[in-house]
């Protein structure tokens, strides 16, 4: 099983970035998907999750209205659309999957496969 992330880099405050995460080696559509991030000196933080039936959960109130999770089962890819970026969004971002399950979790220990992590930096 493998998850490969792309789309990170430098964003400007108020700008947008979209992260992609391509899956292979398992039945992607049977898994709940999640995005996490880890800033320097901080613990890994759960951001959002989407069940295999496309129900979304946000684990951070600060993200509502700014970040959106989505999936394309046909392309075996998940996405994180990040709008209105803020400097505090600077972190390494990780995609992950949990399952086979329809249920989301904020607990990183319950996720089975992880992307390699991709740096997102927000600065003017």
């Amino acid at each position: 099983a493998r998850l490969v992330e792309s789309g990170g880099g430098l964003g400007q405050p108020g700008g947008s970035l979209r992260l992609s995460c391509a899956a292979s080696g398992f039945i992607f559509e049977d898994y709940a998907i999640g995005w996490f991030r880890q800033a320097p000196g901080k613990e890994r933080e759960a951001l959002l999750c989407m069940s295999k039936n496309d129900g979304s959960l946000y684990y951070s109130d600060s993200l509502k209205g700014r970040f959106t999770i989505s999936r394309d089962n046909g392309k075996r890819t998940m996405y994180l659309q990040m709008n209105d970026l803020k400097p505090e969004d600077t972190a390494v971002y990780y995609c992950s999957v949990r399952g086979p399950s329809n249920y989301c979790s904020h607990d990183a220990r319950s996720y089975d496969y992880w992307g390699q992590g991709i740096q997102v930096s927000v600065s003017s």
Side-chain angles (χ1 to χ4, degrees):
R2 191 177 184 201
L3 295 173
V4 179
E5 300 178 42
S6 60
L10 179 64
Q12 292 194 340
S16 299
L17 285 174
R18 188 174 81 155
L19 303 183
S20 300
C21 177
S24 61
F26 62 97
I27 304 174
F28 177 70
E29 63 186 24
D30 285 345
Y31 284 65
I33 61 175
W35 286 94
F36 294 74
R37 70 184 179 189
Q38 189 165 17
K42 295 187 177 181
E43 295 185 352
R44 190 168 298 191
E45 173 189 13
L47 302 180
L48 308 95
C49 178
M50 175 174 276
S51 68
K52 68 175 186 178
N53 293 332
D54 296 338
S56 299
L57 290 177
Y58 289 85
Y59 294 116
S60 174
D61 287 341
S62 67
L63 301 182
K64 291 181 180 178
R66 299 197 301 123
F67 287 17
T68 305
I69 188 173
S70 61
R71 66 192 299 165
D72 185 332
N73 289 334
K75 294 182 177 180
R76 302 171 57 84
T77 301
M78 56 194 283
Y79 304 95
L80 179 66
Q81 178 67 43
M82 303 183 291
N83 298 329
D84 190 21
L85 288 166
K86 304 178 184 300
E88 52 264 40
D89 294 322
T90 295
V92 177
Y93 284 71
Y94 298 89
C95 59
S96 188
V97 296
R98 180 175 188 268
S101 173
N102 189 42
Y103 299 104
C104 284
S105 172
H106 69 283
D107 187 349
R109 297 170 298 178
S110 70
Y111 284 75
D112 299 288
Y113 308 127
W114 291 84
Q116 79 278 15
I118 194 163
Q119 178 70 45
V120 171
S121 299
V122 182
S123 174
S124 56

